[in-house]
Amino acid sequence: MTHGRRLVLAAVSAVIALVALGLWIWNFNVSTAEVADLFHRLRWWTILPLAALLAGHVALSSRRWQLIEEGLGAERPRFGPAYATGTFALGLGAFLPSPLVNILCRALANRYARASSLRGAVSGGLDQLSDLVIVVLLSGPALAAFLVRDLKVYLWGGAATLVAGAAIAFVTPWLLRTLPFGIVQRIFPLFRWSLLRRLYGLSILRVLNLTLMNILICQAVGAESLSAVLIAVPLVMLATSIAMLPGAIGVSEWSFSGIFSGMGISNASIIPFVLGNRILLTILSLSLALIALAATSFALTRKARASGTGEQADR
């Protein structure tokens, strides 16, 4: 794809996202009064644990990316740079397509470390795909629970599909071992059960962590929609992954609102939750990215000074 076509595609995606957001604002009659009310009713004690969960979300992804890089035959990247690039992707993902930003940041992290940027992009893509696997497994039970409005269907069905997913991961190495294709043999170390179970576990923790974040947002804004949130998380994640719009803008708002409305949640709870989800997570994501940027800049400056001091001593 040429540079011009990429720019056109990016512009079209941004317009679609903004139009979708504008339609949501218009449909729910959201004004500055609702935003002001959000901060007035906000339970500020929730901000610190929400930030901690968001930081943990990045840490889980960074650890998973380390394992994938190692599984692809590379030396395991250091956690510090992996975490820093993860926070950069988180901040940029508030305005750009998150999966693509994550792939780009992982590729750049490898390039900075003088490793293969192509492998970084592949491992970054596999990192994002790991979340999608769990989301797909949970979306079926979540959709069934939404249709019958029964949270227990999701809880029991989700547990069953996750067990089934673990069983598939267990037999995958044996199945791949029987295939003759050269590319399978080259990436086979990634499909060891000892590695797959760790990636699978980290991916489950990521979705669980995201669910806890949304529960905390419910508490933060005083929304009465806990059961709906539990059911909505995998469905919204699936919708935003398919849409691939910048920052999931518009898609996230409409997905949450549609599921909540379908479960009988009033607009009085939908609007503060959706606004809180967008505003709080955007502010915290950018804050973490800026902190990581400052820490990285400080570390690089300190390293440069130490290198300069060492050169002067040699002279």
Side-chain angles (χ1 to χ4, degrees):
M1 183 181 294
T2 64
H3 180 67
R5 289 183 178 179
R6 284 197 295 268
L7 289 177
V8 170
L9 180 60
V12 170
S13 298
V15 169
I16 293 173
L18 292 175
V19 168
L21 179 61
L23 289 174
W24 180 83
I25 292 172
W26 175 77
N27 184 74
F28 285 89
N29 296 314
V30 179
S31 65
T32 54
E34 277 74 20
V35 178
D37 181 63
L38 170 70
F39 286 99
H40 176 73
R41 68 193 292 178
L42 185 65
R43 296 167 181 168
W44 292 96
W45 66 266
T46 60
I47 299 301
L48 188 58
L50 186 58
L53 287 173
L54 194 58
H57 203 59
V58 178
L60 290 170
S61 176
S62 301
R63 174 58 175 162
R64 189 173 61 191
W65 179 65
Q66 285 183 297
L67 294 174
I68 293 173
E69 276 280 294
E70 193 174 32
L72 291 175
E75 183 179 348
R76 181 182 297 183
R78 292 190 297 118
F79 182 77
Y83 186 82
T85 52
T87 58
F88 299 154
L90 179 71
L92 292 171
F95 306 103
L96 300 171
S98 182
L100 295 181
V101 167
N102 193 279
I103 291 171
L104 177 62
C105 285
R106 296 309 187 190
L108 291 175
N110 267 13
R111 184 173 182 179
Y112 176 76
R114 297 181 179 178
S116 170
S117 56
L118 177 59
R119 191 187 61 245
V122 171
S123 58
L126 291 173
D127 176 49
Q128 295 298 293
L129 186 61
S130 299
D131 282 336
L132 186 59
V133 168
I134 304 302
V135 168
V136 169
L137 287 173
L138 292 177
S139 290
L143 180 60
F146 169 71
L147 293 175
V148 300
R149 296 190 184 184
D150 189 348
L151 178 61
K152 289 181 293 195
V153 171
Y154 172 61
L155 296 178
W156 286 105
T161 56
L162 290 179
V163 170
I168 293 172
F170 179 76
V171 301
T172 294
W174 177 82
L175 292 174
L176 291 179
R177 197 176 292 119
T178 64
L179 297 177
F181 307 117
I183 189 173
V184 173
Q185 303 306 318
R186 286 198 296 273
I187 66 173
F188 185 78
L190 185 64
F191 294 98
R192 302 189 311 270
W193 167 242
S194 59
L195 178 57
L196 283 179
R197 68 187 181 192
R198 297 166 76 182
L199 298 178
Y200 191 74
L202 288 169
S203 302
I204 292 175
L205 288 176
R206 282 256 303 172
V207 176
L208 176 61
N209 189 73
L210 186 61
T211 302
L212 291 175
M213 280 194 283
N214 281 280
I215 290 173
L216 201 53
I217 290 171
C218 255
Q219 292 297 313
V221 301
E224 303 294 333
S225 51
L226 182 58
S227 295
V229 166
L230 293 174
I231 293 172
V233 167
L235 297 175
V236 172
M237 288 182 69
L238 184 61
T240 55
S241 297
I242 293 172
M244 287 287 287
L245 290 179
I249 295 171
V251 180
S252 175
E253 284 76 9
W254 276 110
S255 299
F256 273 119
S257 300
I259 293 168
F260 287 2
S261 296
M263 296 191 68
I265 305 299
S266 67
N267 287 359
S269 286
I270 292 174
I271 293 172
F273 174 84
V274 173
L275 287 176
N277 183 280
R278 174 61 62 184
I279 295 172
L280 293 179
L281 290 184
T282 298
I283 291 174
L284 290 176
S285 296
L286 292 176
S287 299
L288 285 176
L290 290 174
I291 292 171
L293 180 61
T296 301
S297 299
F298 176 77
L300 292 176
T301 302
R302 187 175 180 181
K303 183 179 179 180
R305 288 177 179 174
S307 177
T309 303
E311 290 178 359
Q312 291 178 2
D314 291 340
R315 292 175 186 173

